[in-house]
């Protein structure tokens, strides 16, 4: 009996089942089995509408071969929602999601009021709707000194399915209209999974408009060069954060690999090709990059671009940070220079979810320090800013 048990235990375990939202993998498996890919959106729709489903046998109207393949190689989701923290004002919900490798990522639901945005100088119609801030990596190798995620270092890339599953989990709490890749990680360092995930999100059953998806990058030049070809009409946001290379390298060590002159040339080529407005993200750090001369430098740097600048008040992230938040006076002065002298559309990002560490720069798993509390109100969103 012992030898029989020993020999049976030595057989290799079956490969782990993959997420049905790993689009390239499920398409390849269906093709190999001779099953039409048209059934895949039906499977996704079922899981989206039944996020707690344990298996895929209940998906209606599939061929028998599809059920057998799903049982053998797939599961509805490979990640699990661990916790959901709600901000006191209920505008923000931070989701902690555990991946199949045991690591965790965070995603944040932000609720906005479209009536607070303007279009052609007039208030927008509509009402409250939600944007999901998703993560693309566990940790980040960029090491930006003002960002909590950078303190984690890089741990792993998410699969395309794990990116999409963040929307599946978030849909239990809110109907998501916009998606921004501004969570944990550098999206363009996980380029293949990013492209695959976005292509899934703009298709059935998610049907997100490309104009309501924004990808933020520190400036990975070789990926920017192919971004428009692979992801047409998707918004590109660039975490510039400084108007010259020296300051940029000081606060963003990874910028050494992406010289500012080469980055701006790549962005100009991208804009000439895509005709898309570029969103420029600029974190306001007291005494570092928030002075009047920096505003003038930034204005001159962007004078040939169709751009919107989003000034971001720095979020304290505990003892891991040596930076301070710019004064409101300096932020307003900076905005006035960019708007008045250089005619650049410039907004100031209002903070959401600081009391649950869900605001910009605060996404980090297991950072022990206390964060500042903030009382946010319903806000207009970056996708509601149009020139």
């Amino acid at each position: 009996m012992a030898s029989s048990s020993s020999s049976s235990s030595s057989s290799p375990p079956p490969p782990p089942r993959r997420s049905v939202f790993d689009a390239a993998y499920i398409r390849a498996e269906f093709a190999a089995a001779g099953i039409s890919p048209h059934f895949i959106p039906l499977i996704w729709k079922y899981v989206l509408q039944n996020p707690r489903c344990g298996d895929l046998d209940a998906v209606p109207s599939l061929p028998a071969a599809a059920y057998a393949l799903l049982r053998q190689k797939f599961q509805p989701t490979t990640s699990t929602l661990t916790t959901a923290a709600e901000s006191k004002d209920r505008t923000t919900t931070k989701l902690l999601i555990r991946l199949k490798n045991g690591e965790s990522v965070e995603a944040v639901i932000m609720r906005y009021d479209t009536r607070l945005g303007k279009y052609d100088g007039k208030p927008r119609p509509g009402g409250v709707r939600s944007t999901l801030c998703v993560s693309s990596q566990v940790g980040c190798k960029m090491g930006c000194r003002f960002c909590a995620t950078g303190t984690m270092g890089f741990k792993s890339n998410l699969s395309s399915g794990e990116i999409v599953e963040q929307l599946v989990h978030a849909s239990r709490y809110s109907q998501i209209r916009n998606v921004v890749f501004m969570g944990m990680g550098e999206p363009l360092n996980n380029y293949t999974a990013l492209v695959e995930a976005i292509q899934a999100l703009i298709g059935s059953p998610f049907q997100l408009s490309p104009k309501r998806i924004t990808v933020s990058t520190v400036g990975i030049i070789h990926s920017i060069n192919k971004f428009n070809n692979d992801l047409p009409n998707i918004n590109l946001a660039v975490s510039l954060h400084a108007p010259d290379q020296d300051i940029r390298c000081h606060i963003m060590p990874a910028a050494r690999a992406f010289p500012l002159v080469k980055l701006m040339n790549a962005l100009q080529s991208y804009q000439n090709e895509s005709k898309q407005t570029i969103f420029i993200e600029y974190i306001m750090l007291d005494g570092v990059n928030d002075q009047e001369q920096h505003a003038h430098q930034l204005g001159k740097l962007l004078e040939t671009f169709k751009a919107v600048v989003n000034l971001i008040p720095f979020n304290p992230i505990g003892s891991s940070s040596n930076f301070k938040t710019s004064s409101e006076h300096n932020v307003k002065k900076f905005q006035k220079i960019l708007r008045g002298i250089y005619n650049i559309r410039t907004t100031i990002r209002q903070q959401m979810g600081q009391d649950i560490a869900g605001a910009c720069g605060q996404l980090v798993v297991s950072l022990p320090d206390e964060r500042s509390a903030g009382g946010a109100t319903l806000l207009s969103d970056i996708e509601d800013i149009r020139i």
Side-chain angles (χ1 to χ4, degrees):
M1 289 293 290
S3 62
S4 169
S5 169
S6 170
S7 79
S8 66
S9 65
S10 65
S11 58
R17 290 184 297 162
R18 297 274 291 268
S19 167
V20 291
F21 295 103
D22 276 327
Y25 183 74
I26 192 169
R27 287 194 188 105
E29 290 293 329
F30 270 45
I35 304 169
S36 170
H38 297 301
F39 291 109
I40 296 172
L42 297 177
I43 299 166
W44 290 351
K45 182 178 181 180
Y46 178 82
V47 178
L48 188 61
Q49 293 176 340
N50 301 274
R52 294 182 177 87
C53 66
D55 60 56
L56 298 162
D57 286 339
V59 181
S61 307
L62 300 181
Y67 290 111
L69 182 62
L70 291 172
R71 277 193 294 269
Q72 181 186 2
K73 295 192 173 182
F74 294 95
Q75 57 192 92
T77 58
T78 56
S79 62
T80 54
L81 181 59
T82 306
T83 58
E86 194 94 25
S87 62
K88 291 174 184 175
D89 59 16
R90 305 186 68 80
T91 63
T92 308
T93 305
K94 185 170 73 168
L95 308 178
L96 181 65
I97 298 167
R98 186 175 177 85
L99 309 177
K100 62 183 177 183
N101 66 0
E103 299 285 358
S104 292
V105 293
E106 294 177 336
V108 181
I109 302 167
M110 299 166 287
R111 298 171 186 87
Y112 298 91
D113 192 337
T114 57
R115 293 164 295 190
L116 299 178
K118 291 190 176 181
Y119 188 81
D120 286 340
K122 301 174 184 176
R124 283 175 171 264
V128 179
R129 49 98 182 124
S130 298
T131 288
L132 179 66
C133 178
V134 300
S135 295
S136 56
Q137 298 177 310
V138 182
C140 183
K141 62 178 70 171
M142 297 295 99
C144 298
R145 294 177 56 207
F146 51 80
C147 178
T149 307
T151 65
M152 293 176 62
F154 172 72
K155 296 188 177 181
S156 62
N157 281 322
L158 270 63
S159 70
S160 65
E162 288 170 331
I163 294 173
V164 174
E165 284 179 18
Q166 293 172 70
L167 178 58
V168 176
H169 294 307
S171 296
R172 290 163 54 178
Y173 294 88
S174 193
Q175 184 174 353
I176 303 300
R177 191 180 104 161
N178 292 349
V179 170
V180 295
F181 285 80
M182 298 181 182
M184 297 169 65
E186 163 54 60
L188 297 192
N189 272 347
N190 190 13
Y191 190 81
T192 300
L194 171 77
V195 171
E196 192 177 299
I198 290 176
Q199 288 172 343
L201 293 177
I202 61 178
S204 179
F206 302 101
Q207 302 287 11
L208 289 177
S209 166
K211 294 179 180 179
R212 292 178 179 160
I213 299 175
T214 300
V215 175
S216 175
T217 177
V218 301
I220 312 297
I221 293 172
H222 62 273
S223 295
I224 291 172
N225 290 338
K226 54 186 179 178
F227 188 87
N228 182 62
N229 186 58
D230 292 331
L231 295 169
N233 301 315
I234 301 295
N235 295 310
L236 182 65
V238 180
S239 297
L240 200 62
H241 300 317
D244 66 48
Q245 181 69 0
D246 287 344
I247 298 175
R248 211 164 180 258
C249 289
H250 172 62
I251 63 176
M252 305 169 68
R256 293 185 180 89
F258 309 105
L260 191 57
V261 172
K262 291 185 178 180
L263 173 58
M264 300 312 291
N265 287 341
L267 291 175
Q268 191 73 74
S269 297
Y270 163 78
Q271 187 160 78
N272 292 343
E273 181 186 340
S274 70
K275 311 304 181 191
Q276 292 266 111
T277 298
I278 297 173
F279 293 94
I280 300 294
E281 297 168 302
Y282 195 98
I283 195 160
M284 299 295 287
L285 302 172
D286 183 50
V288 177
N289 64 352
D290 67 340
Q291 303 301 298
E292 289 186 29
Q293 72 264 26
H294 300 133
H296 287 290
Q297 283 179 280
L298 183 61
K300 291 169 184 172
L301 188 67
L302 297 175
E303 61 186 354
T304 63
F305 287 87
K306 183 182 178 185
V308 173
V309 175
N310 193 213
L311 303 178
I312 306 170
F314 170 64
N315 278 314
I317 51 174
S319 59
S320 61
S321 174
N322 296 316
F323 297 113
K324 295 180 181 177
T325 305
S326 297
S327 67
E328 186 176 352
H329 170 80
N330 280 4
V331 176
K332 293 280 180 64
K333 182 71 174 175
F334 205 99
Q335 180 189 42
K336 188 175 181 180
I337 291 170
L338 291 177
R339 277 181 169 177
I341 298 178
Y342 299 96
N343 197 30
I344 297 172
R345 185 77 181 271
T346 307
T347 63
I348 299 171
R349 182 178 296 178
Q350 302 298 314
Q351 295 307 311
M352 302 179 73
Q354 283 183 302
D355 58 322
I356 54 168
C360 183
Q362 291 184 318
L363 295 192
V364 60
V365 176
S366 299
L367 187 73
D369 299 283
E370 288 293 318
R371 283 81 163 199
S372 67
T377 55
L378 287 173
L379 309 167
S380 59
D381 188 20
I382 191 169
E383 283 74 24
D384 285 330
I385 301 167
R386 295 287 174 215
I387 292 178

